[in-house]
Amino acid sequence: MAKQRAAVLGTGQTHHRSKRTDVSMPGLLREAVDRAMVDADVGWSDIDAVVVGKAPDLFEGVMMPELFLADALGANGKPLLRVHTAGSVGGSTALVAASLVQSGVHRRVLTVAFEKQSESNAMWALSIRVPFTMPVGAGAGGYFAPHVRSYLRRSGAPEHVGAVVAAKDRRNGALNPHAHLRQSDITVDSVRASQMLWDPIRYDETCPSSDGACAMVIGDERAGDDSPAPAWIHATAMRTEPTTFAGRDQVNPQAGKDAATELWRQAGITDPLSQVDTAEIYVPFSWFEPMWLENLGFAADGEGWKLTEAGETALTGRLPVNPSGGVLSSNPIGASGMLRFSEAAKQVMGRAGDYQVDGARTALGHAYGGGSQYFSMWLVGAVKPT
Amino acid sequence: MTEVAVVAFAQAPNVRRTHGTTNGVEMLVPIFDEVYTRTGLSKADIGFWCSGSSDYLAGRAFSFISAVDAIGAFPPIHESHVEMDAAWALYEAWLKIRMGEVDTALVYGFGKSSAGDLRRVLSLQLDPYTVAPLWPDSVSIAALQARLGLESGRWTEKDLAEVAARSRRDATGNPRAQFGGETDVAALLDADPVADPLRRHDIAPVTDGAAVIVLASAERARDLADRPAVIGGIEHRIDTPSLGARDLTTSPSTRLAGEAVGTDGVEVAELHAPFTHQELIVRDELGLGDAVRINPSGGTLTGNPMFSAGLARIGEAAQRILDGEATRTLGHATSGPALQQNLVTVLERG
């Protein structure tokens, strides 16, 4: 039997900062949850179930924190699920919440993802010891820089393209009142003058460490029909591959390609660049924009950087990418994927404020995690799917 | 919506300590092989994969990522993971089949409790601001719960010892149980308390283990098993984490979940009760009378593999139907301190 239709009824997020010492974890989550519930115009009695997502528990030092958060999330007496799929978790969490509606089990589901990185030290929590992974040290940047170098070699992309991404995303972030980094005066030249961290990734091409949360209310077809401007879920996809094996393409992973193929197939999209109006793509280091443009099928292999260089991914371009400022402007890890999904929803709901893409009717939300091995994505639209 | 059935279940031996890694791979590969053999399925036939495990139990971030090495996940797979007992992973997989996205799913859970000091690790599930800094451990919290029941007359120490004796006796028929055997209730009661009033026999052992279940749409299930165990209902609920805010001798979340699935006519129930008194609470909340056979596998008291023990309860309940021994069975899973979160499923002969 076919899936039931589902729609995003409302979204909410915190003001992301490096340290939100003004709130506890429950306080942080409620900031996002309360905003999402106001946006969706629902009360606690309307919520049938709660789905929580976050990246590793070691980031806050609490084992399965959803257990102690049950009070704050109004979950007592209700079903509560906790998803964890590495950096893609915010996206996967949204997809599990959508499943609860698409399977006909519930009418309205609250979903929230968060990270309070200031409670711990993510970089060292990410530096896993041998024998489980090869020792790369220094967290995610040290892990991903070789993939970026490989992309540069394979594509022949000029080296300033990374800085073009960073300057664009940070300037977009300046339009977003919730963004952690808001740098309206950043330029390609100033990015290129910043400190080199993991060659070729410079300081200004790197995501921040943020405290933050993101929440959404997802409802069934009837709830969507009753909502003034819902974001209808047109397609969803998740794929996983192992971290390491001989012959693995870490620059353009098969799992990402397979997920995108499935997404476009479900939505009946044959030419993503023409048929998708805007995309919120998980770009923690600048160069992942052109890399994922290719992986997602917006550009041919080796050609993604040309869209970026030509300004086609800017707010006024053919495919605005990360109009919200993206992961480069705010990175509460566990919530970063859900932020991508909810920012895509906000665009088609017409609620993106100063970074609204004109006429956005169809938007992609994308997240990845682990060693570029976990992918989750959805396509949302202003119009109900047929 | 599509009906879903359990078509195969397997579990690793419940043991005090494995020499394998905390990835679970060494425990998972043999039991994947068991369910592949039994169903005739291969990796390529599985539409969705979902697992349950804990980074804190493994002592490092992203422990579940290496577990996919047990699958051989290339070409890439459609996969998800919950940081919960794998019974909740089964719930997620049930959704995927129910909504028609896939027609088969493989669910697994694993945990190597011997890697750390389990009762202290579980303290980190408590409110990190006001409770966890005091380090109340999981056994001590259960002891408070048991004490409240003794004082209110809900149970006696002899009632608890009888649960332990029955579990150990039944475990003699389960080759994967950690231990079992005939015991004398009076002798059990002679032992000194470990965490007053709990004695050794009241407390589930520390166990390394893993479990796997294969689900299929009811239509597909007929090709994969002679007597598939159809999921008649599956529901889960959570209670407040505040230990002082609820009557610990009850479990409202279990009751709500049980009422939602409907427990009438259940012949066999596998209850996830890591402490003897918790079996009595769960049994009462689910309205299971004396005619219901409880934990014929020996239950959690004879093997408590963290993050797969709940899934194994569903597997054992399904196995009674797969084996043709029963027509309606119940599986229960719990998570969190003092039965905070509970899942109930009823399985039926298709």
Side-chain angles (χ1 to χ4, degrees):
Chain A
M1 177 173 282
K3 284 177 205 176
Q4 303 290 301
R5 292 190 181 93
V8 179
L9 308 179
T11 70
Q13 62 185 285
T14 55
H15 287 93
H16 313 298
R17 298 283 178 273
S18 57
K19 293 182 195 300
R20 285 294 308 269
T21 51
D22 58 318
V23 285
S24 63
M25 276 179 258
L28 187 78
L29 267 72
R30 281 299 289 274
E31 200 174 298
V33 165
D34 290 357
R35 286 172 183 158
M37 289 177 66
V38 167
D39 195 44
D41 192 23
V42 297
W44 288 106
S45 60
D46 297 316
I47 301 297
D48 299 326
V50 183
V51 185
V52 180
K54 67 174 298 304
D57 292 359
L58 279 76
F59 284 5
E60 287 82 14
V62 185
M63 181 180 186
M64 302 157 74
E66 65 283 359
L67 292 168
F68 100 91
L69 290 165
D71 277 350
L73 294 174
N76 295 342
K78 294 179 182 176
L80 175 93
L81 278 165
R82 158 69 195 287
V83 181
H84 177 17
T85 62
S88 66
V89 64
S92 314
T93 304
L95 296 188
V96 173
S99 298
L100 282 165
V101 174
Q102 291 171 320
S103 62
V105 173
H106 294 305
R107 286 209 59 209
R108 286 189 201 82
V109 176
L110 171 68
T111 184
V112 58
F114 77 103
E115 210 72 68
K116 201 157 187 294
Q117 295 202 57
S118 64
E119 304 269 339
S120 179
N121 186 324
M123 190 166 95
W124 299 118
L126 282 170
S127 297
I128 296 160
R129 295 179 182 199
V130 288
F132 300 107
T133 54
M134 28 188 179
V136 291
Y143 184 88
F144 289 117
H147 303 185
V148 172
R149 283 200 295 278
S150 181
Y151 175 74
L152 286 166
R153 178 181 55 77
R154 281 161 57 162
S155 68
E159 66 172 46
H160 72 279
V161 170
V164 171
V165 175
K168 167 190 66 95
D169 282 4
R170 292 278 166 77
R171 282 198 302 266
N172 286 349
L175 302 173
N176 177 353
H178 295 102
H180 176 175
L181 299 177
R182 308 182 68 210
Q183 302 174 343
S184 55
D185 55 355
I186 196 168
T187 65
V188 172
D189 288 341
S190 73
V191 173
R192 296 186 75 190
S194 68
Q195 172 82 37
M196 185 66 80
L197 293 184
W198 307 278
D199 191 0
I201 302 170
R202 293 178 183 275
Y203 182 77
D204 280 347
E205 297 176 83
T206 305
C207 57
S209 285
S210 314
D211 284 355
C214 178
M216 291 191 284
V217 179
I218 295 176
D220 66 359
E221 181 168 8
R222 192 145 57 93
D225 286 339
D226 291 343
S227 172
W232 293 98
I233 299 170
H234 284 238
T236 63
M238 278 197 282
R239 288 294 183 275
T240 301
E241 67 184 44
T243 319
T244 315
F245 58 89
R248 178 170 183 238
D249 188 347
Q250 290 165 303
V251 176
N252 196 0
Q254 190 65 40
K257 287 199 267 191
D258 287 2
T261 301
E262 171 62 16
L263 192 81
W264 304 139
R265 186 196 65 74
Q266 277 179 29
I269 298 266
T270 52
D271 177 5
L273 187 60
S274 302
Q275 293 173 271
V276 176
D277 298 320
T278 181
E280 284 279 345
I281 300 175
Y282 203 106
V283 177
F285 303 100
S286 59
W287 282 98
F288 277 84
E289 175 176 301
M291 287 161 67
W292 292 148
L293 285 172
E294 295 171 24
N295 192 243
L296 284 161
F298 286 113
D301 288 359
E303 306 280 318
W305 62 270
K306 293 178 183 171
L307 282 176
T308 300
E309 190 189 35
E312 298 289 16
T313 60
L315 202 45
T316 52
R318 189 172 175 196
L319 178 76
V321 173
N322 294 326
S324 70
V327 182
L328 282 173
S329 298
S330 308
N331 185 34
I333 298 176
S336 290
M338 191 174 287
L339 284 166
R340 305 283 70 69
F341 279 48
S342 75
E343 291 291 357
K346 283 168 68 174
Q347 289 291 344
V348 301
M349 295 163 99
R351 295 182 191 172
D354 291 343
Y355 55 95
Q356 177 69 46
V357 174
D358 278 346
R361 306 284 287 166
T362 303
L364 169 76
H366 162 275
Y368 86 98
S372 297
Q373 65 190 115
Y374 284 83
F375 293 85
S376 59
M377 44 193 81
W378 77 7
L379 192 76
V380 287
V383 177
K384 199 195 290 194
T386 49
Chain B
M1 282 287 161
T2 308
E3 294 280 337
V4 183
V6 174
V7 295
F9 161 64
Q11 63 180 317
N14 289 285
V15 295
R16 177 62 184 83
R17 183 171 288 104
T18 54
H19 297 290
T21 63
T22 51
N23 298 341
V25 171
E26 297 88 340
M27 295 186 287
L28 289 169
V29 169
I31 60 174
F32 284 4
D33 196 48
E34 274 186 57
V35 294
Y36 290 153
T37 302
R38 227 170 284 158
T39 57
L41 295 170
S42 69
K43 181 190 79 182
D45 299 317
I46 303 294
F48 181 65
W49 305 75
C50 201
S51 61
S53 69
S54 162
D55 280 349
Y56 256 91
L57 202 70
R60 70 178 198 289
F62 300 128
S63 55
F64 63 94
I65 289 182
S66 326
V68 302
D69 286 348
I71 299 169
F74 197 85
I77 56 172
H78 185 188
E79 188 256 0
S80 187
H81 172 263
V82 297
E83 195 84 354
M84 310 175 82
D85 188 285
W88 280 267
L90 181 134
Y91 184 85
E92 186 179 336
W94 172 77
L95 293 172
K96 291 283 183 193
I97 297 176
R98 201 178 137 86
M99 67 200 253
E101 195 163 294
V102 297
D103 65 359
T104 54
L106 187 148
V107 181
Y108 61 97
F110 63 94
K112 181 173 169 162
S113 298
S114 67
D117 182 349
L118 182 63
R119 55 198 280 183
R120 277 177 67 82
V121 170
L122 292 174
S123 295
L124 295 167
Q125 291 181 330
L126 299 160
D127 183 315
Y129 303 107
T130 60
V131 186
L134 303 170
W135 288 93
D137 67 86
S138 55
V139 176
S140 302
I141 289 169
L144 292 173
Q145 189 178 32
R147 172 61 65 199
L148 288 164
L150 287 172
E151 290 181 352
S152 67
R154 278 288 309 279
W155 48 71
T156 65
E157 293 182 37
K158 182 161 172 288
D159 294 336
L160 306 188
E162 283 170 353
V163 169
R166 192 208 66 232
S167 300
R168 292 175 180 206
R169 186 183 316 122
D170 286 337
T172 55
N174 178 358
R176 299 276 160 109
Q178 195 164 341
F179 53 76
E182 284 296 331
T183 48
D184 175 53
V185 168
L188 291 177
L189 288 169
D190 275 345
D192 290 332
V194 175
D196 198 0
L198 298 178
R199 297 181 171 83
R200 178 58 59 205
H201 64 258
D202 292 312
I203 305 167
V206 174
T207 307
D208 292 351
V212 56
I213 280 180
V214 179
L215 295 178
S217 64
E219 192 181 337
R220 188 80 197 279
R222 285 192 287 273
D223 302 332
L224 303 173
D226 292 337
R227 288 173 295 267
V230 176
I231 296 175
I234 181 166
E235 295 277 350
H236 62 100
R237 299 288 187 276
I238 194 166
D239 292 315
T240 175
S242 175
L243 297 171
R246 64 182 165 103
D247 175 357
L248 290 180
T249 64
T250 67
S251 178
S253 55
T254 303
R255 178 172 292 260
L256 283 170
E259 286 171 356
V261 294
T263 60
D264 287 350
V266 164
E267 299 148 26
V268 177
E270 284 279 346
L271 308 180
H272 185 188
F275 300 91
T276 48
H277 65 278
Q278 292 183 344
E279 179 185 300
L280 301 178
I281 295 173
V282 171
R283 187 175 180 157
D284 189 52
E285 297 290 7
L286 294 177
L288 303 176
D290 292 341
V292 180
R293 180 83 167 87
I294 304 291
N295 291 348
S297 69
T300 314
L301 290 167
T302 62
N304 183 28
M306 295 299 296
F307 299 91
S308 64
L311 184 72
R313 301 280 72 68
I314 298 171
E316 292 283 6
Q319 196 65 50
R320 302 287 85 74
I321 291 173
L322 289 163
D323 289 343
E325 295 169 9
T327 57
R328 186 166 160 84
T329 65
L330 180 148
H332 160 262
T334 195
S335 175
L339 297 173
Q340 187 193 347
Q341 187 173 24
N342 294 279
L343 178 148
V344 179
T345 182
V346 169
L347 299 138
E348 296 159 347
R349 181 178 292 176

